[in-house]
Amino acid sequence: MEKIKVSVHGLGNIGKYVIEAIEASPDMECIGVVRRAKSIGTNKLDLRGCGEYPSLAELEAAKGKPQAALICTPSRHAFEDDSLYIQRGINTVDSFDIHEDIASMVEKLGVIAKSNKCTAITAAGWDPGTDSVFRALFQAMVPVGTTFTNFGRGRSMGHSAAARAIEGVSDAVSITIPIGGGRHSRLVYVVLEKGETLERVKERIAADDYFSKDPLEVRSVPTSGELALVCDASHGVLMERTGASGLTANQKLSFDMRIDNPALTAQIMVSCARASTRLEPGCYTMIDIPPVALLNGDRMSLIKKLV
Amino acid sequence: MEKIKVSVHGLGNIGKYVIEAIEASPDMECIGVVRRAKSIGTNKLDLRGCGEYPSLAELEAAKGKPQAALICTPSRHAFEDDSLYIQRGINTVDSFDIHEDIASMVEKLGVIAKSNKCTAITAAGWDPGTDSVFRALFQAMVPVGTTFTNFGRGRSMGHSAAARAIEGVSDAVSITIPIGGGRHSRLVYVVLEKGETLERVKERIAADDYFSKDPLEVRSVPTSGELALVCDASHGVLMERTGASGLTANQKLSFDMRIDNPALTAQIMVSCARASTRLEPGCYTMIDIPPVALLNGDRMSLIKKLV
């Protein structure tokens, strides 16, 4: 059976794990990584034998057209980077995670994906992504009730970036700690700029939109080297729903996971890249995808094994 | 907005909860229950105002054609009862639960559903059903690893029926108790026939295919009235998967639910009846259905709310 040819766009933390997840998929192969020309050859990350190209055109010239591209650049670049591939009729998968903009992403990508007869899967990570699917299934099983999504304990990329942008902070890591009922406290480790005080920085962090609604603790560490000691990739979710099926109350559902964050995100993106080759043209979130389409194997064998 | 018109076929324990779940769905209405002529008017179950009809033809004559029928007869009648509706172009949902025959059900129903331009959703309960979807998602997230589905503590309908069929048993209830690693022990309460001994009955149960592979305890109670005291509808599942995403091990996922068994089965069937009106002709299991199709509401609003 011919392998699904995919490529990777952008080589940060997620890109590295995407290359590994493709390598671990018996039905897929990575034909190359597209990244900024100035980064090529300079990476500290293991490319596991994948060639690097400064543009899609050069990748295509050397290796042909991929069937799907895994977009591993930051969320704010996702639409632009997706478009680059979709305009060439290549499916895309991104892990766009700006929740309030997902619906408009779906609409915009849907238009160009349909007109180029390919598929775009957006918001394909664990939240948004598989958590979205669990929320949908929980609601289908227990339509009346409350779902709490409790994140952590783990590092939040968004909150860490917000803390680093605060005046007087030279480096920061923000840890999300669940405190029940879908609420969270934030533990922020900061490296202060010279002459700055922890009190002033804490005040500024507490006033920031990212932090103003949650309990906050700020701790100072002397160097980025020490910051690295609290900065691993462990994360988790506890999703809980209690409610009624039909007229029967006290139905209790929960999903709990403890994971390496970028490894899971990358694996979900790769499973979605497989699905992208099995769907009609258009843009999809994970709640729009038949789960069987994510898996290696033919449908009837998967039904025999999993249903 | 016009409500989805559905009907119920068969009125046992599941049928009763299906009527309740339809009543609780703002976008659906139950136009009638089809059941054996001799049962009509004799039910102890609350029909909540639904009319009873001895045949689909009489339901149609009185109320018009339903868009989907919820088939609430035992699994061994599912294909025959599904066919009755599919041949009239009416979608069906069943909770067929004979795991080893699901693939052939899908093939047989697929042929007649396509030729009658309607949809059939089979194996739509919690296992098979939503558990199948969780198994599929867990595999997409963590492709290399082991999933254990631990059932219970709760009453097994199949094992209870098997115990009742044993020589010397006048009535029985079998409770499934999880003992870890996807294995189970069985606790069987029996009412003995006159002159029978617990020892002989236990030997026969232990030799039965349903029980021969698992640890077994058999307890005798004097009457069916006392049997009723251990016979409620509580059930549960703990599904656990540990494995690797890409090349990263120690990814841990678990799904835990504690539920009223027939209420959940019925709710899932009703959510599938909604989905049946949104799918292309053919036969589906729950792993074939985009999760968003199960939910009341339009797709973009659901994406905004859940993704």
Side-chain angles (χ1 to χ4, degrees):
Chain A
M1 210 182 69
E2 210 159 327
K3 292 190 176 189
I4 301 168
K5 289 180 183 9
V6 300
S7 68
V8 177
H9 185 83
L11 191 70
N13 198 24
I14 297 289
K16 163 190 181 287
Y17 285 97
V18 163
I19 290 173
E20 293 185 359
I22 298 165
E23 180 179 318
S25 303
D27 59 335
M28 304 181 96
E29 70 175 293
C30 182
I31 65 168
V33 178
V34 173
R35 57 193 308 218
R36 284 173 301 195
K38 67 173 184 182
S39 305
I40 289 182
T42 67
N43 53 286
K44 296 175 207 152
L45 301 171
D46 183 359
L47 269 74
R48 308 187 77 81
C50 290
E52 302 173 85
Y53 302 90
S55 68
L56 171 57
E58 295 193 44
L59 167 67
E60 280 196 52
K63 301 302 256 342
K65 206 183 238 191
Q67 291 167 266
L70 294 122
I71 307 302
C72 301
T73 42
S75 279
R76 65 184 182 281
H77 297 152
F79 178 73
E80 187 187 332
D81 293 343
D82 285 336
S83 303
L84 195 69
Y85 289 83
I86 294 170
Q87 279 155 7
R88 303 273 307 144
I90 299 163
N91 300 338
T92 59
V93 177
D94 68 55
S95 60
F96 184 77
D97 67 353
I98 306 168
H99 284 261
E100 60 273 22
D101 294 338
I102 291 170
S104 83
M105 242 339 234
V106 169
E107 278 171 355
K108 288 190 296 178
L109 288 172
V111 172
I112 58 169
K114 277 180 196 156
S115 73
N116 290 284
K117 299 192 172 51
C118 63
T119 58
I121 302 180
T122 191
W126 55 267
D127 203 318
T130 45
D131 276 4
S132 319
V133 178
F134 292 118
R135 280 189 286 269
L137 290 167
F138 280 18
Q139 191 170 316
M141 296 162 80
V142 176
V144 176
T146 324
T147 298
F148 295 131
T149 306
N150 303 287
F151 296 103
R153 179 162 53 100
R155 175 169 43 131
S156 162
M157 309 299 263
H159 287 80
S160 298
R164 276 192 295 274
I166 299 281
E167 188 195 334
V169 174
S170 82
D171 204 354
V173 164
S174 177
I175 309 290
T176 300
I177 301 165
I179 54 176
R183 294 160 309 159
H184 304 88
S185 71
R186 313 288 169 183
L187 171 57
V188 185
Y189 290 87
V190 292
V191 181
L192 298 175
E193 284 180 351
K194 258 196 190 141
E196 199 49 80
T197 70
L198 180 59
E199 290 63 35
R200 281 202 302 264
V201 160
K202 181 169 175 175
E203 246 171 56
R204 289 180 202 130
I205 294 176
D208 187 276
D209 276 354
Y210 263 86
F211 297 95
S212 58
K213 289 169 208 140
D214 302 320
L216 172 70
E217 183 180 349
V218 182
R219 293 181 192 169
S220 161
V221 295
T223 62
S224 285
E226 286 213 25
L227 203 59
L229 298 177
V230 295
C231 184
D232 77 312
S234 316
H235 220 311
V237 162
L238 172 62
M239 187 183 296
E240 301 170 297
R241 185 169 180 85
T242 301
S245 304
L247 304 177
T248 304
N250 198 33
Q251 305 286 77
K252 302 176 90 68
L253 312 177
S254 76
F255 166 65
D256 191 335
M257 70 175 191
R258 302 295 135 188
I259 46 92
D260 177 301
N261 181 352
L264 181 62
T265 303
Q267 178 63 64
I268 292 168
M269 291 180 74
V270 169
S271 295
C272 284
R274 177 184 295 117
S276 80
T277 66
R278 297 168 169 174
L279 300 167
E280 295 297 309
C283 181
Y284 299 78
T285 66
M286 289 194 76
I287 67 173
D288 301 311
I289 301 175
V292 71
L294 300 166
L295 300 173
N296 181 22
D298 73 286
R299 176 186 168 226
M300 288 311 285
S301 313
L302 289 163
I303 287 175
K304 279 181 192 159
K305 194 177 153 213
L306 296 168
V307 181
Chain B
M1 209 181 71
E2 210 158 326
K3 292 191 176 189
I4 301 168
K5 290 179 180 11
V6 300
S7 68
V8 177
H9 184 83
L11 192 70
N13 197 23
I14 297 289
K16 163 191 181 289
Y17 285 97
V18 164
I19 290 172
E20 293 184 358
I22 298 164
E23 180 178 318
S25 302
D27 60 334
M28 305 180 94
E29 70 175 292
C30 182
I31 64 167
V33 177
V34 173
R35 56 192 309 217
R36 285 172 300 194
K38 68 173 183 181
S39 306
I40 290 181
T42 68
N43 54 285
K44 297 175 206 151
L45 301 171
D46 183 0
L47 270 74
R48 308 187 77 80
C50 289
E52 303 174 85
Y53 302 88
S55 68
L56 172 57
E58 295 192 47
L59 167 67
E60 280 195 54
K63 300 302 257 338
K65 206 185 240 193
Q67 291 167 263
L70 293 122
I71 307 302
C72 301
T73 42
S75 280
R76 64 184 183 283
H77 297 152
F79 179 72
E80 188 188 331
D81 293 343
D82 285 335
S83 303
L84 194 69
Y85 289 83
I86 294 170
Q87 279 155 8
R88 301 274 306 144
I90 299 163
N91 301 337
T92 59
V93 177
D94 68 55
S95 60
F96 184 77
D97 68 352
I98 306 169
H99 283 261
E100 61 273 23
D101 295 338
I102 291 170
S104 84
M105 257 313 250
V106 169
E107 278 169 354
K108 288 190 296 178
L109 288 173
V111 171
I112 58 169
K114 278 180 196 156
S115 73
N116 290 284
K117 298 192 174 50
C118 63
T119 58
I121 302 180
T122 191
W126 55 267
D127 203 318
T130 45
D131 277 3
S132 317
V133 178
F134 292 118
R135 280 189 286 270
L137 290 168
F138 279 18
Q139 191 169 317
M141 296 162 79
V142 176
V144 175
T146 324
T147 299
F148 295 130
T149 307
N150 303 287
F151 295 104
R153 178 160 56 100
R155 176 168 44 131
S156 162
M157 309 300 262
H159 288 80
S160 298
R164 277 193 293 274
I166 299 280
E167 189 195 336
V169 174
S170 82
D171 204 354
V173 165
S174 177
I175 310 289
T176 300
I177 301 165
I179 53 177
R183 295 161 308 158
H184 304 89
S185 72
R186 313 287 169 183
L187 172 57
V188 185
Y189 290 88
V190 293
V191 180
L192 298 175
E193 284 179 352
K194 257 196 192 142
E196 199 48 80
T197 70
L198 181 59
E199 289 64 34
R200 281 202 302 266
V201 161
K202 181 170 177 176
E203 246 170 55
R204 289 179 202 131
I205 294 176
D208 187 275
D209 276 354
Y210 263 86
F211 295 95
S212 58
K213 290 170 207 140
D214 301 321
L216 172 70
E217 183 179 349
V218 182
R219 293 180 192 170
S220 162
V221 295
T223 62
S224 286
E226 286 213 26
L227 203 59
L229 298 177
V230 295
C231 183
D232 77 312
S234 315
H235 220 311
V237 162
L238 172 62
M239 187 181 297
E240 300 171 298
R241 184 168 180 86
T242 301
S245 303
L247 304 178
T248 304
N250 198 33
Q251 305 286 78
K252 302 176 89 70
L253 312 178
S254 76
F255 166 66
D256 191 335
M257 68 174 193
R258 303 293 135 190
I259 46 93
D260 177 301
N261 181 353
L264 181 61
T265 303
Q267 179 62 64
I268 292 168
M269 291 179 73
V270 169
S271 295
C272 285
R274 177 183 295 117
S276 80
T277 67
R278 297 168 170 176
L279 300 167
E280 295 297 308
C283 180
Y284 299 78
T285 65
M286 289 194 77
I287 68 173
D288 301 311
I289 300 174
V292 72
L294 300 166
L295 300 173
N296 180 22
D298 73 285
R299 177 186 169 227
M300 288 311 285
S301 312
L302 289 163
I303 287 176
K304 279 180 193 160
K305 195 177 153 211
L306 296 168
V307 180

